[in-house]
Every structure is written in C-alpha cells, then in structure tokens.
CSV table of all heavy atoms in Angstrom, one decimal:
chain,number,residue,atom,x,y,z
X,1305,MET,N,6.0,17.7,290.1
X,1305,MET,CA,6.5,18.8,291.0
X,1305,MET,C,5.4,19.6,291.6
X,1305,MET,O,4.2,19.5,291.1
X,1305,MET,CB,7.4,19.6,290.1
X,1305,MET,CG,8.7,18.9,289.6
X,1305,MET,SD,9.7,18.3,291.0
X,1305,MET,CE,11.2,17.9,290.2
X,1306,ILE,N,5.7,20.5,292.5
X,1306,ILE,CA,4.7,21.2,293.2
X,1306,ILE,C,4.0,22.2,292.2
X,1306,ILE,O,2.8,22.3,292.2
X,1306,ILE,CB,5.4,22.1,294.3
X,1306,ILE,CG1,6.0,21.1,295.3
X,1306,ILE,CG2,4.4,23.1,294.9
X,1306,ILE,CD1,7.0,21.8,296.3
X,1307,THR,N,4.7,22.8,291.3
X,1307,THR,CA,4.1,23.7,290.3
X,1307,THR,C,3.1,23.0,289.5
X,1307,THR,O,2.0,23.5,289.3
X,1307,THR,CB,5.2,24.4,289.4
X,1307,THR,OG1,6.3,24.8,290.3
X,1307,THR,CG2,4.6,25.6,288.7
X,1308,LYS,N,3.5,21.9,289.0
X,1308,LYS,CA,2.6,21.1,288.1
X,1308,LYS,C,1.3,20.7,288.8
X,1308,LYS,O,0.2,20.9,288.3
X,1308,LYS,CB,3.3,19.9,287.6
X,1308,LYS,CG,3.2,19.6,286.2
X,1308,LYS,CD,4.0,18.4,285.8
X,1308,LYS,CE,3.9,18.1,284.3
X,1308,LYS,NZ,4.7,17.0,283.9
X,1309,LYS,N,1.4,20.3,290.0
X,1309,LYS,CA,0.3,19.9,290.8
X,1309,LYS,C,-0.7,21.1,291.0
X,1309,LYS,O,-1.9,20.9,290.9
X,1309,LYS,CB,0.7,19.4,292.2
X,1309,LYS,CG,-0.3,18.4,292.8
X,1309,LYS,CD,0.3,17.8,294.1
X,1309,LYS,CE,-0.7,16.9,294.8
X,1309,LYS,NZ,-0.1,16.4,296.0
X,1310,TYR,N,-0.1,22.2,291.3
X,1310,TYR,CA,-1.0,23.4,291.5
X,1310,TYR,C,-1.8,23.8,290.3
X,1310,TYR,O,-2.9,24.1,290.3
X,1310,TYR,CB,0.0,24.6,291.9
X,1310,TYR,CG,-0.8,25.8,292.1
X,1310,TYR,CD1,-1.6,26.1,293.3
X,1310,TYR,CD2,-0.8,26.8,291.1
X,1310,TYR,CE1,-2.3,27.2,293.5
X,1310,TYR,CE2,-1.5,28.0,291.3
X,1310,TYR,CZ,-2.3,28.2,292.5
X,1310,TYR,OH,-3.0,29.3,292.7
X,1311,ILE,N,-1.1,23.7,289.1
X,1311,ILE,CA,-1.8,24.0,287.9
X,1311,ILE,C,-3.0,23.1,287.6
X,1311,ILE,O,-4.0,23.5,287.2
X,1311,ILE,CB,-0.8,24.0,286.7
X,1311,ILE,CG1,0.2,25.2,286.8
X,1311,ILE,CG2,-1.5,24.1,285.3
X,1311,ILE,CD1,1.4,25.2,285.9
X,1312,SER,N,-2.7,21.8,287.7
X,1312,SER,CA,-3.8,20.9,287.4
X,1312,SER,C,-5.0,21.0,288.4
X,1312,SER,O,-6.1,20.8,288.0
X,1312,SER,CB,-3.3,19.4,287.5
X,1312,SER,OG,-3.2,19.0,288.8
X,1313,LEU,N,-4.7,21.5,289.6
X,1313,LEU,CA,-5.8,21.7,290.5
X,1313,LEU,C,-6.6,22.9,290.1
X,1313,LEU,O,-7.8,22.9,290.2
X,1313,LEU,CB,-5.1,22.0,291.9
X,1313,LEU,CG,-6.0,21.7,293.1
X,1313,LEU,CD1,-6.2,20.2,293.3
X,1313,LEU,CD2,-5.5,22.4,294.4
X,1314,ALA,N,-5.9,23.9,289.6
X,1314,ALA,CA,-6.6,25.2,289.2
X,1314,ALA,C,-7.5,24.9,288.0
X,1314,ALA,O,-8.6,25.3,287.9
X,1314,ALA,CB,-5.6,26.2,288.8
X,1315,ILE,N,-7.0,24.0,287.0
X,1315,ILE,CA,-7.8,23.7,285.9
X,1315,ILE,C,-9.0,22.9,286.3
X,1315,ILE,O,-10.1,23.1,285.8
X,1315,ILE,CB,-6.9,22.9,284.9
X,1315,ILE,CG1,-5.8,23.8,284.2
X,1315,ILE,CG2,-7.8,22.2,283.8
X,1315,ILE,CD1,-4.8,23.1,283.5
X,1316,ASP,N,-8.9,22.0,287.2
X,1316,ASP,CA,-9.9,21.2,287.7
X,1316,ASP,C,-11.1,22.1,288.3
X,1316,ASP,O,-12.2,21.9,288.0
X,1316,ASP,CB,-9.4,20.3,288.9
X,1316,ASP,CG,-9.9,18.9,288.7
X,1316,ASP,OD1,-10.1,18.5,287.6
X,1316,ASP,OD2,-10.2,18.3,289.8
X,1317,CYS,N,-10.7,23.1,289.1
X,1317,CYS,CA,-11.6,24.1,289.6
X,1317,CYS,C,-12.4,24.8,288.6
X,1317,CYS,O,-13.6,24.9,288.6
X,1317,CYS,CB,-10.9,25.1,290.5
X,1317,CYS,SG,-11.2,24.8,292.2
X,1318,TYR,N,-11.6,25.3,287.6
X,1318,TYR,CA,-12.2,26.1,286.5
X,1318,TYR,C,-13.2,25.3,285.8
X,1318,TYR,O,-14.3,25.7,285.5
X,1318,TYR,CB,-11.1,26.5,285.6
X,1318,TYR,CG,-11.5,27.3,284.4
X,1318,TYR,CD1,-11.8,28.7,284.5
X,1318,TYR,CD2,-11.7,26.7,283.1
X,1318,TYR,CE1,-12.2,29.4,283.4
X,1318,TYR,CE2,-12.1,27.4,282.1
X,1318,TYR,CZ,-12.4,28.8,282.2
X,1318,TYR,OH,-12.8,29.5,281.1
X,1319,ALA,N,-12.9,24.0,285.5
X,1319,ALA,CA,-13.8,23.1,284.7
X,1319,ALA,C,-15.1,22.9,285.5
X,1319,ALA,O,-16.2,23.0,284.9
X,1319,ALA,CB,-13.1,21.8,284.5
X,1320,VAL,N,-15.0,22.7,286.8
X,1320,VAL,CA,-16.3,22.5,287.5
X,1320,VAL,C,-17.2,23.7,287.5
X,1320,VAL,O,-18.4,23.6,287.3
X,1320,VAL,CB,-15.9,22.2,289.0
X,1320,VAL,CG1,-17.1,22.2,289.9
X,1320,VAL,CG2,-15.2,20.8,289.1
X,1321,ILE,N,-16.6,24.9,287.6
X,1321,ILE,CA,-17.4,26.1,287.6
X,1321,ILE,C,-18.0,26.4,286.2
X,1321,ILE,O,-19.2,26.8,286.2
X,1321,ILE,CB,-16.5,27.3,288.1
X,1321,ILE,CG1,-16.1,27.1,289.5
X,1321,ILE,CG2,-17.3,28.6,287.9
X,1321,ILE,CD1,-15.0,28.0,289.9
X,1322,LYS,N,-17.3,26.2,285.2
X,1322,LYS,CA,-17.8,26.6,283.9
X,1322,LYS,C,-18.5,25.6,283.1
X,1322,LYS,O,-18.9,25.8,281.9
X,1322,LYS,CB,-16.6,27.1,283.0
X,1322,LYS,CG,-15.9,28.3,283.6
X,1322,LYS,CD,-16.8,29.5,283.8
X,1322,LYS,CE,-17.0,30.3,282.5
X,1322,LYS,NZ,-17.8,31.5,282.8
X,1323,MET,N,-18.7,24.4,283.6
X,1323,MET,CA,-19.4,23.4,282.8
X,1323,MET,C,-20.9,23.5,282.9
X,1323,MET,O,-21.5,23.7,284.0
X,1323,MET,CB,-19.1,21.9,283.3
X,1323,MET,CG,-17.6,21.5,282.9
X,1323,MET,SD,-17.2,21.9,281.2
X,1323,MET,CE,-17.2,20.3,280.5
X,1324,ALA,N,-21.6,23.5,281.8
X,1324,ALA,CA,-23.0,23.5,281.8
X,1324,ALA,C,-23.5,22.2,281.2
X,1324,ALA,O,-22.8,21.4,280.6
X,1324,ALA,CB,-23.5,24.6,280.9
X,1325,ILE,N,-24.8,21.8,281.5
X,1325,ILE,CA,-25.3,20.6,281.0
X,1325,ILE,C,-26.2,20.8,279.8
X,1325,ILE,O,-27.1,21.6,279.9
X,1325,ILE,CB,-26.1,19.9,282.2
X,1325,ILE,CG1,-25.3,19.6,283.4
X,1325,ILE,CG2,-26.7,18.6,281.6
X,1325,ILE,CD1,-24.1,18.6,283.2
X,1326,ASP,N,-25.9,20.1,278.8
X,1326,ASP,CA,-26.8,20.1,277.6
X,1326,ASP,C,-28.1,19.5,278.0
X,1326,ASP,O,-28.2,18.3,278.3
X,1326,ASP,CB,-26.1,19.3,276.5
X,1326,ASP,CG,-26.8,19.2,275.2
X,1326,ASP,OD1,-28.1,19.3,275.2
X,1326,ASP,OD2,-26.2,19.1,274.2
X,1327,PRO,N,-29.2,20.3,278.0
X,1327,PRO,CA,-30.5,19.7,278.5
X,1327,PRO,C,-31.1,18.6,277.5
X,1327,PRO,O,-31.9,17.8,278.0
X,1327,PRO,CB,-31.4,20.9,278.5
X,1327,PRO,CG,-30.8,21.9,277.6
X,1327,PRO,CD,-29.4,21.7,277.6
X,1328,VAL,N,-30.6,18.5,276.3
X,1328,VAL,CA,-31.1,17.5,275.4
X,1328,VAL,C,-30.5,16.2,275.6
X,1328,VAL,O,-31.2,15.1,275.8
X,1328,VAL,CB,-30.9,18.0,273.9
X,1328,VAL,CG1,-31.4,16.9,273.0
X,1328,VAL,CG2,-31.7,19.3,273.7
X,1329,CYS,N,-29.2,16.1,275.7
X,1329,CYS,CA,-28.5,14.8,275.9
X,1329,CYS,C,-27.8,14.6,277.2
X,1329,CYS,O,-27.2,13.6,277.5
X,1329,CYS,CB,-27.5,14.6,274.7
X,1329,CYS,SG,-26.2,15.8,274.8
X,1330,ASN,N,-27.9,15.7,278.1
X,1330,ASN,CA,-27.3,15.6,279.4
X,1330,ASN,C,-25.8,15.5,279.4
X,1330,ASN,O,-25.2,15.1,280.4
X,1330,ASN,CB,-27.9,14.5,280.3
X,1330,ASN,CG,-29.3,14.8,280.6
X,1330,ASN,OD1,-29.7,15.9,281.0
X,1330,ASN,ND2,-30.2,13.8,280.5
X,1331,MET,N,-25.2,16.0,278.3
X,1331,MET,CA,-23.7,16.0,278.2
X,1331,MET,C,-23.2,17.3,278.8
X,1331,MET,O,-23.9,18.3,278.8
X,1331,MET,CB,-23.3,15.9,276.7
X,1331,MET,CG,-22.2,14.9,276.5
X,1331,MET,SD,-21.8,14.9,274.7
X,1331,MET,CE,-20.5,16.1,274.7
X,1332,GLU,N,-22.0,17.2,279.3
X,1332,GLU,CA,-21.4,18.4,279.9
X,1332,GLU,C,-20.8,19.3,278.7
X,1332,GLU,O,-20.2,18.8,277.8
X,1332,GLU,CB,-20.2,18.0,280.8
X,1332,GLU,CG,-20.7,17.6,282.2
X,1332,GLU,CD,-19.6,17.5,283.2
X,1332,GLU,OE1,-18.5,17.2,282.8
X,1332,GLU,OE2,-19.9,17.6,284.4
X,1333,VAL,N,-21.1,20.6,278.8
X,1333,VAL,CA,-20.7,21.5,277.7
X,1333,VAL,C,-19.9,22.6,278.4
X,1333,VAL,O,-20.3,23.2,279.4
X,1333,VAL,CB,-21.8,22.1,277.0
X,1333,VAL,CG1,-21.4,23.0,275.8
X,1333,VAL,CG2,-22.7,20.9,276.4
X,1334,ASP,N,-18.7,22.9,277.9
X,1334,ASP,CA,-17.9,24.0,278.4
X,1334,ASP,C,-18.5,25.3,277.9
X,1334,ASP,O,-18.5,25.6,276.7
X,1334,ASP,CB,-16.5,23.8,277.9
X,1334,ASP,CG,-15.5,24.8,278.6
X,1334,ASP,OD1,-16.0,25.8,279.1
X,1334,ASP,OD2,-14.3,24.5,278.6
X,1335,GLU,N,-18.9,26.1,278.9
X,1335,GLU,CA,-19.6,27.4,278.5
X,1335,GLU,C,-18.7,28.3,277.7
X,1335,GLU,O,-19.1,29.1,276.9
X,1335,GLU,CB,-20.0,28.1,279.8
X,1335,GLU,CG,-21.2,27.4,280.5
X,1335,GLU,CD,-21.7,28.2,281.7
X,1335,GLU,OE1,-21.3,29.4,281.8
X,1335,GLU,OE2,-22.4,27.6,282.5
X,1336,ALA,N,-17.4,28.2,278.0
X,1336,ALA,CA,-16.4,29.2,277.4
X,1336,ALA,C,-16.2,28.8,275.9
X,1336,ALA,O,-16.0,29.7,275.1
X,1336,ALA,CB,-15.1,29.1,278.1
X,1337,THR,N,-16.4,27.6,275.5
X,1337,THR,CA,-16.1,27.2,274.2
X,1337,THR,C,-17.3,26.7,273.4
X,1337,THR,O,-17.3,26.3,272.3
X,1337,THR,CB,-15.0,26.1,274.1
X,1337,THR,OG1,-15.5,24.9,274.8
X,1337,THR,CG2,-13.7,26.5,274.7
X,1338,ALA,N,-18.5,26.7,274.1
X,1338,ALA,CA,-19.7,26.2,273.5
X,1338,ALA,C,-20.1,27.1,272.2
X,1338,ALA,O,-20.1,28.3,272.3
X,1338,ALA,CB,-20.8,26.3,274.5
X,1339,LYS,N,-20.3,26.4,271.2
X,1339,LYS,CA,-20.7,27.1,269.9
X,1339,LYS,C,-22.2,27.3,269.8
X,1339,LYS,O,-22.7,28.1,269.1
X,1339,LYS,CB,-20.2,26.3,268.7
X,1339,LYS,CG,-18.7,26.3,268.6
X,1339,LYS,CD,-18.3,25.7,267.2
X,1339,LYS,CE,-16.8,25.4,267.1
X,1339,LYS,NZ,-16.4,24.2,267.7
X,1340,TRP,N,-22.9,26.4,270.5
X,1340,TRP,CA,-24.4,26.4,270.3
X,1340,TRP,C,-25.0,26.8,271.7
X,1340,TRP,O,-24.9,26.0,272.6
X,1340,TRP,CB,-24.9,25.1,269.8
X,1340,TRP,CG,-24.2,24.8,268.5
X,1340,TRP,CD1,-24.6,25.3,267.3
X,1340,TRP,CD2,-23.1,23.9,268.3
X,1340,TRP,NE1,-23.7,24.8,266.3
X,1340,TRP,CE2,-22.8,24.0,266.9
X,1340,TRP,CE3,-22.3,23.2,269.1
X,1340,TRP,CZ2,-21.7,23.2,266.3
X,1340,TRP,CZ3,-21.2,22.4,268.6
X,1340,TRP,CH2,-21.0,22.5,267.2
X,1341,LYS,N,-25.7,27.9,271.7
X,1341,LYS,CA,-26.5,28.3,272.9
X,1341,LYS,C,-27.9,28.8,272.5
X,1341,LYS,O,-28.1,29.2,271.3
X,1341,LYS,CB,-25.8,29.4,273.7
X,1341,LYS,CG,-24.4,29.6,273.3
X,1341,LYS,CD,-23.8,30.8,274.1
X,1341,LYS,CE,-22.4,31.1,273.6
X,1341,LYS,NZ,-21.8,32.2,274.3
X,1342,ALA,N,-28.8,28.7,273.4
X,1342,ALA,CA,-30.1,29.2,273.2
X,1342,ALA,C,-30.6,29.8,274.5
X,1342,ALA,O,-30.3,29.4,275.6
X,1342,ALA,CB,-31.1,28.1,272.8
X,1343,GLU,N,-31.4,30.9,274.3
X,1343,GLU,CA,-31.9,31.5,275.5
X,1343,GLU,C,-33.4,31.2,275.6
X,1343,GLU,O,-34.1,31.2,274.6
X,1343,GLU,CB,-31.7,33.1,275.4
X,1343,GLU,CG,-31.1,33.6,276.7
X,1343,GLU,CD,-30.8,35.1,276.6
X,1343,GLU,OE1,-31.8,35.9,276.7
X,1343,GLU,OE2,-29.7,35.5,276.3
X,1344,TYR,N,-33.8,30.8,276.8
X,1344,TYR,CA,-35.2,30.4,277.0
X,1344,TYR,C,-35.6,30.9,278.4
X,1344,TYR,O,-35.0,30.5,279.4
X,1344,TYR,CB,-35.3,28.9,276.9
X,1344,TYR,CG,-36.8,28.5,277.0
X,1344,TYR,CD1,-37.7,28.8,276.0
X,1344,TYR,CD2,-37.2,27.7,278.1
X,1344,TYR,CE1,-39.0,28.4,276.1
X,1344,TYR,CE2,-38.5,27.3,278.2
X,1344,TYR,CZ,-39.4,27.7,277.2
X,1344,TYR,OH,-40.7,27.3,277.4
X,1345,LYS,N,-36.6,31.7,278.4
X,1345,LYS,CA,-37.2,32.3,279.7
X,1345,LYS,C,-36.1,32.9,280.5
X,1345,LYS,O,-36.0,32.7,281.8
X,1345,LYS,CB,-37.9,31.2,280.5
X,1345,LYS,CG,-39.2,30.8,279.8
X,1345,LYS,CD,-40.0,29.8,280.7
X,1345,LYS,CE,-41.3,29.5,280.1
X,1345,LYS,NZ,-42.1,28.5,280.9
X,1346,GLY,N,-35.2,33.6,279.9
X,1346,GLY,CA,-34.2,34.4,280.6
X,1346,GLY,C,-32.9,33.6,281.0
X,1346,GLY,O,-32.0,34.1,281.6
X,1347,LYS,N,-32.9,32.3,280.7
X,1347,LYS,CA,-31.8,31.5,281.0
X,1347,LYS,C,-31.1,31.0,279.7
X,1347,LYS,O,-31.7,30.8,278.7
X,1347,LYS,CB,-32.3,30.2,281.7
X,1347,LYS,CG,-31.7,30.1,283.2
X,1347,LYS,CD,-31.9,28.7,283.8
X,1347,LYS,CE,-30.6,28.1,284.0
X,1347,LYS,NZ,-30.7,26.8,284.6
X,1348,THR,N,-29.8,30.9,279.8
X,1348,THR,CA,-29.0,30.5,278.7
X,1348,THR,C,-28.7,29.0,278.8
X,1348,THR,O,-28.2,28.5,279.8
X,1348,THR,CB,-27.7,31.3,278.5
X,1348,THR,OG1,-28.0,32.7,278.5
X,1348,THR,CG2,-27.0,31.0,277.2
X,1349,TYR,N,-28.9,28.3,277.7
X,1349,TYR,CA,-28.6,26.8,277.7
X,1349,TYR,C,-27.5,26.6,276.7
X,1349,TYR,O,-27.5,27.2,275.6
X,1349,TYR,CB,-29.9,26.1,277.4
X,1349,TYR,CG,-31.0,26.2,278.4
X,1349,TYR,CD1,-31.9,27.2,278.3
X,1349,TYR,CD2,-31.0,25.4,279.6
X,1349,TYR,CE1,-32.9,27.4,279.3
X,1349,TYR,CE2,-31.9,25.6,280.6
X,1349,TYR,CZ,-32.9,26.6,280.4
X,1349,TYR,OH,-33.8,26.7,281.4
X,1350,TYR,N,-26.7,25.6,277.0
X,1350,TYR,CA,-25.6,25.3,276.1
X,1350,TYR,C,-25.7,23.9,275.5
X,1350,TYR,O,-26.2,23.0,276.2
X,1350,TYR,CB,-24.3,25.4,276.9
X,1350,TYR,CG,-24.0,26.8,277.4
X,1350,TYR,CD1,-24.6,27.2,278.6
X,1350,TYR,CD2,-23.2,27.7,276.7
X,1350,TYR,CE1,-24.4,28.5,279.1
X,1350,TYR,CE2,-23.0,29.0,277.1
X,1350,TYR,CZ,-23.6,29.4,278.4
X,1350,TYR,OH,-23.4,30.7,278.8
X,1351,PHE,N,-25.3,23.8,274.3
X,1351,PHE,CA,-25.5,22.5,273.6
X,1351,PHE,C,-24.2,22.0,273.0
X,1351,PHE,O,-23.3,22.8,272.6
X,1351,PHE,CB,-26.5,22.6,272.5
X,1351,PHE,CG,-27.8,23.2,273.0
X,1351,PHE,CD1,-28.0,24.6,273.0
X,1351,PHE,CD2,-28.7,22.4,273.6
X,1351,PHE,CE1,-29.2,25.1,273.5
X,1351,PHE,CE2,-29.9,22.9,274.2
X,1351,PHE,CZ,-30.1,24.3,274.1
X,1352,CYS,N,-24.1,20.7,272.9
X,1352,CYS,CA,-22.8,20.0,272.4
X,1352,CYS,C,-22.8,20.0,270.8
X,1352,CYS,O,-21.8,19.9,270.2
X,1352,CYS,CB,-22.7,18.6,272.9
X,1352,CYS,SG,-23.9,17.5,272.3
X,1353,ALA,N,-24.0,20.1,270.2
X,1353,ALA,CA,-24.1,20.0,268.8
X,1353,ALA,C,-25.3,20.8,268.3
X,1353,ALA,O,-26.2,21.0,269.0
X,1353,ALA,CB,-24.2,18.5,268.4
X,1354,PRO,N,-25.2,21.2,267.0
X,1354,PRO,CA,-26.4,22.0,266.4
X,1354,PRO,C,-27.7,21.2,266.5
X,1354,PRO,O,-28.8,21.8,266.6
X,1354,PRO,CB,-26.0,22.3,265.0
X,1354,PRO,CG,-24.8,21.4,264.7
X,1354,PRO,CD,-24.1,21.1,266.0
X,1355,GLY,N,-27.6,19.9,266.4
X,1355,GLY,CA,-28.8,19.1,266.4
X,1355,GLY,C,-29.5,19.2,267.8
X,1355,GLY,O,-30.7,19.2,267.9
X,1356,CYS,N,-28.7,19.3,268.9
X,1356,CYS,CA,-29.3,19.4,270.2
X,1356,CYS,C,-30.0,20.7,270.4
X,1356,CYS,O,-31.0,20.8,271.0
X,1356,CYS,CB,-28.2,19.2,271.3
X,1356,CYS,SG,-27.6,17.5,271.5
X,1357,LYS,N,-29.4,21.8,269.8
X,1357,LYS,CA,-29.9,23.1,269.9
X,1357,LYS,C,-31.3,23.2,269.2
X,1357,LYS,O,-32.3,23.7,269.7
X,1357,LYS,CB,-29.0,24.1,269.3
X,1357,LYS,CG,-29.4,25.6,269.4
X,1357,LYS,CD,-28.4,26.5,268.8
X,1357,LYS,CE,-28.8,27.9,268.9
X,1357,LYS,NZ,-29.8,28.4,268.0
X,1358,THR,N,-31.3,22.6,268.0
X,1358,THR,CA,-32.5,22.6,267.2
X,1358,THR,C,-33.6,21.8,267.9
X,1358,THR,O,-34.8,22.2,267.9
X,1358,THR,CB,-32.2,21.9,265.8
X,1358,THR,OG1,-31.1,22.5,265.2
X,1358,THR,CG2,-33.4,22.0,264.9
X,1359,ALA,N,-33.3,20.7,268.5
X,1359,ALA,CA,-34.3,19.8,269.2
X,1359,ALA,C,-34.8,20.6,270.4
X,1359,ALA,O,-36.0,20.6,270.7
X,1359,ALA,CB,-33.6,18.5,269.7
X,1360,PHE,N,-33.9,21.3,271.1
X,1360,PHE,CA,-34.4,22.1,272.3
X,1360,PHE,C,-35.3,23.2,271.9
X,1360,PHE,O,-36.4,23.4,272.5
X,1360,PHE,CB,-33.1,22.6,273.0
X,1360,PHE,CG,-33.5,23.5,274.2
X,1360,PHE,CD1,-33.8,22.9,275.4
X,1360,PHE,CD2,-33.5,24.9,274.1
X,1360,PHE,CE1,-34.2,23.7,276.5
X,1360,PHE,CE2,-33.8,25.7,275.1
X,1360,PHE,CZ,-34.2,25.1,276.4
X,1361,GLU,N,-34.9,23.9,270.8
X,1361,GLU,CA,-35.8,25.1,270.4
X,1361,GLU,C,-37.1,24.6,269.8
X,1361,GLU,O,-38.1,25.4,269.9
X,1361,GLU,CB,-35.0,25.9,269.3
X,1361,GLU,CG,-33.9,26.7,270.0
X,1361,GLU,CD,-33.0,27.5,269.0
X,1361,GLU,OE1,-32.9,27.0,267.8
X,1361,GLU,OE2,-32.5,28.6,269.3
X,1362,ALA,N,-37.2,23.4,269.3
X,1362,ALA,CA,-38.4,22.9,268.8
X,1362,ALA,C,-39.4,22.6,269.9
X,1362,ALA,O,-40.6,22.8,269.8
X,1362,ALA,CB,-38.2,21.7,267.9
X,1363,ASP,N,-38.9,22.2,271.1
X,1363,ASP,CA,-39.8,21.8,272.2
X,1363,ASP,C,-39.0,21.9,273.5
X,1363,ASP,O,-38.7,20.9,274.1
X,1363,ASP,CB,-40.3,20.4,272.0
X,1363,ASP,CG,-41.5,20.1,272.9
X,1363,ASP,OD1,-41.9,20.9,273.7
X,1363,ASP,OD2,-42.0,19.0,272.8
X,1364,PRO,N,-38.7,23.2,274.0
X,1364,PRO,CA,-37.9,23.4,275.2
X,1364,PRO,C,-38.5,22.7,276.4
X,1364,PRO,O,-37.8,22.1,277.2
X,1364,PRO,CB,-37.9,24.9,275.3
X,1364,PRO,CG,-38.3,25.5,274.0
X,1364,PRO,CD,-39.2,24.4,273.4
X,1365,GLU,N,-39.8,22.8,276.6
X,1365,GLU,CA,-40.5,22.3,277.8
X,1365,GLU,C,-40.3,20.8,278.0
X,1365,GLU,O,-40.2,20.3,279.1
X,1365,GLU,CB,-42.0,22.6,277.7
X,1365,GLU,CG,-42.3,24.1,277.8
X,1365,GLU,CD,-41.9,24.7,279.2
X,1365,GLU,OE1,-41.8,24.0,280.2
X,1365,GLU,OE2,-41.7,25.9,279.2
X,1366,LYS,N,-40.2,20.1,276.9
X,1366,LYS,CA,-40.0,18.7,276.9
X,1366,LYS,C,-38.7,18.3,277.6
X,1366,LYS,O,-38.6,17.4,278.4
X,1366,LYS,CB,-40.0,18.1,275.4
X,1366,LYS,CG,-39.8,16.6,275.3
X,1366,LYS,CD,-39.7,16.3,273.9
X,1366,LYS,CE,-39.0,15.0,273.6
X,1366,LYS,NZ,-38.8,14.7,272.2
X,1367,TYR,N,-37.7,19.1,277.3
X,1367,TYR,CA,-36.3,18.8,277.9
X,1367,TYR,C,-36.2,19.4,279.3
X,1367,TYR,O,-35.5,18.8,280.1
X,1367,TYR,CB,-35.3,19.3,277.0
X,1367,TYR,CG,-35.3,18.7,275.6
X,1367,TYR,CD1,-35.9,19.3,274.5
X,1367,TYR,CD2,-34.9,17.3,275.5
X,1367,TYR,CE1,-36.0,18.7,273.3
X,1367,TYR,CE2,-35.0,16.7,274.2
X,1367,TYR,CZ,-35.5,17.4,273.1
X,1367,TYR,OH,-35.6,16.8,271.9
X,1368,LEU,N,-36.9,20.5,279.6
X,1368,LEU,CA,-36.7,21.1,280.9
X,1368,LEU,C,-37.6,20.4,282.0
X,1368,LEU,O,-37.2,20.4,283.1
X,1368,LEU,CB,-37.1,22.6,280.8
X,1368,LEU,CG,-36.1,23.4,279.9
X,1368,LEU,CD1,-36.5,24.9,279.8
X,1368,LEU,CD2,-34.7,23.3,280.3
X,1369,SER,N,-38.7,19.9,281.6
X,1369,SER,CA,-39.6,19.3,282.6
X,1369,SER,C,-39.3,17.8,282.7
X,1369,SER,O,-39.4,17.2,283.8
X,1369,SER,CB,-41.0,19.5,282.2
X,1369,SER,OG,-41.3,19.0,280.9
X,1370,GLY,N,-38.9,17.2,281.6
X,1370,GLY,CA,-38.7,15.8,281.6
X,1370,GLY,C,-37.5,15.3,282.4
X,1370,GLY,O,-37.6,14.3,283.2
X,1371,GLY,N,-36.4,15.9,282.3
X,1371,GLY,CA,-35.2,15.3,282.9
X,1371,GLY,C,-34.7,16.1,284.1
X,1371,GLY,O,-34.5,17.3,284.0
X,1372,GLY,N,-34.5,15.5,285.2
X,1372,GLY,CA,-33.8,16.1,286.4
X,1372,GLY,C,-32.4,15.5,286.5
X,1372,GLY,O,-31.7,15.9,287.4
X,1373,GLY,N,-32.0,14.7,285.6
X,1373,GLY,CA,-30.7,14.2,285.6
X,1373,GLY,C,-30.6,12.8,286.2
X,1373,GLY,O,-29.6,12.1,286.2
X,1374,HIS,N,-31.8,12.4,286.8
X,1374,HIS,CA,-31.8,11.1,287.5
X,1374,HIS,C,-32.7,10.1,286.7
X,1374,HIS,O,-33.9,10.3,286.6
X,1374,HIS,CB,-32.3,11.2,288.9
X,1374,HIS,CG,-31.4,11.9,289.8
X,1374,HIS,ND1,-30.3,11.3,290.4
X,1374,HIS,CD2,-31.3,13.2,290.2
X,1374,HIS,CE1,-29.7,12.2,291.1
X,1374,HIS,NE2,-30.2,13.3,291.0
X,1375,HIS,N,-32.1,9.1,286.1
X,1375,HIS,CA,-32.8,8.2,285.3
X,1375,HIS,C,-32.8,6.8,285.8
X,1375,HIS,O,-33.1,5.8,285.1
X,1375,HIS,CB,-32.3,8.3,283.8
X,1375,HIS,CG,-32.6,9.6,283.2
X,1375,HIS,ND1,-33.9,9.9,282.7
X,1375,HIS,CD2,-31.9,10.6,282.9
X,1375,HIS,CE1,-33.9,11.1,282.2
X,1375,HIS,NE2,-32.6,11.6,282.3
X,1376,HIS,N,-32.2,6.6,287.0
X,1376,HIS,CA,-32.1,5.2,287.5
X,1376,HIS,C,-33.2,4.8,288.4
X,1376,HIS,O,-33.7,5.5,289.1
X,1376,HIS,CB,-30.7,5.1,288.3
X,1376,HIS,CG,-29.6,5.3,287.4
X,1376,HIS,ND1,-29.2,4.3,286.5
X,1376,HIS,CD2,-28.7,6.3,287.2
X,1376,HIS,CE1,-28.1,4.7,285.8
X,1376,HIS,NE2,-27.8,5.9,286.2
L,48,ZN,ZN1,-26.1,17.4,273.1
C-alpha cells in the first residue's frame, strides 16, 4: 500500500545518513546504536565490536592511512 511504501523509503533514507564505517574492518555501523566509539583528532569513529575499537586505539594511523575503501 501507499503508506507502507512511504515508510520503507523513509527508513532507507535514515539508514544512509546515519551509517558510519568501522575503519578497522570496513563494516557499516549504525551511529545511533553503536556501542563502541573512539575519538581521534576531533573525529568520532564507530566500531562493530570491542575488538575493532581496541585495535584502532592501539594504532589509529594504520587504519586511517591504509584504507580508502578500495581494495580491488
Ligand atoms: Zn569492526
């Protein structure tokens, strides 16, 4: 129905805006529900698991300089 279609479209929009990329494993993380975050150089990074957060904090530069998201 029309109402249903409208709602799913709104959710889609919301998801696109609020998704962050976990810099360690490049997974999409929902900023609203992310349990693990770290601040580095004034930017907030979101992680899918505590292990990713620990790895990032141990060596942030490795993850920020190494990956641009293109590995092909
Ligand atoms: Zn991760």
